[in-house]
Amino acid sequence: MFVAKVTGSLVATQKTASMVGHKLLVVEPYRLDESRRGLKSAGRTFVAVDTVGAGEGELVLITQGSSARLTPETKNLPVDTVIIGIVDSIHVDQQCVYAKQEKE
């Protein structure tokens, strides 16, 4: 599993029938920065199937490879990356490195 930020969405009007109705988002994996007090981009992007209703700007939990096809929503789909959670907070070495800001 990886932490990633949703940076955009993808629309494909022509696709295999099994993918019709599945929301596709562009995600950018994040990692701890050198100080271990914050997060920074890992410098790559993926297209992920959204199974939890994530939105742009949110930090999410993703899984890749064959594990991406182990959710009820993605079983038997031709997917390699899936969003399986929305991150509320991340703590490392007893410090909060990320806390979700609630929308007002």
Side-chain angles (χ1 to χ4, degrees):
M1 290 186 287
F2 300 93
V3 172
K5 184 176 185 178
V6 178
T7 58
S9 60
L10 185 143
V11 176
T13 55
Q14 298 295 317
K15 57 187 166 232
T16 187
S18 64
M19 292 299 294
V20 172
H22 292 280
K23 181 178 167 186
L24 302 174
L25 296 175
V26 178
V27 296
E28 183 177 341
Y30 270 56
R31 63 181 181 86
L32 283 173
D33 65 15
E34 291 76 15
S35 70
R36 297 178 60 88
R37 294 186 179 163
L39 300 172
K40 72 179 201 176
S41 171
R44 51 196 174 142
T45 58
F46 296 98
V47 175
V49 174
D50 179 25
T51 63
V52 296
E56 193 165 341
E58 288 190 291
L59 219 56
V60 294
L61 190 59
I62 64 171
T63 190
Q64 294 182 286
S66 60
S67 297
R69 292 180 299 279
L70 294 178
T71 71
E73 298 86 356
T74 58
K75 187 177 180 178
N76 300 319
L77 291 181
V79 300
D80 188 57
T81 306
V82 63
I83 298 171
I84 59 169
I86 298 173
V87 177
D88 294 315
S89 64
I90 301 173
H91 293 81
V92 176
D93 295 333
Q94 299 179 347
Q95 289 191 49
C96 182
V97 297
Y98 172 80
K100 183 177 181 178
Q101 299 292 332
E102 294 298 323
K103 294 180 182 178
E104 296 179 15

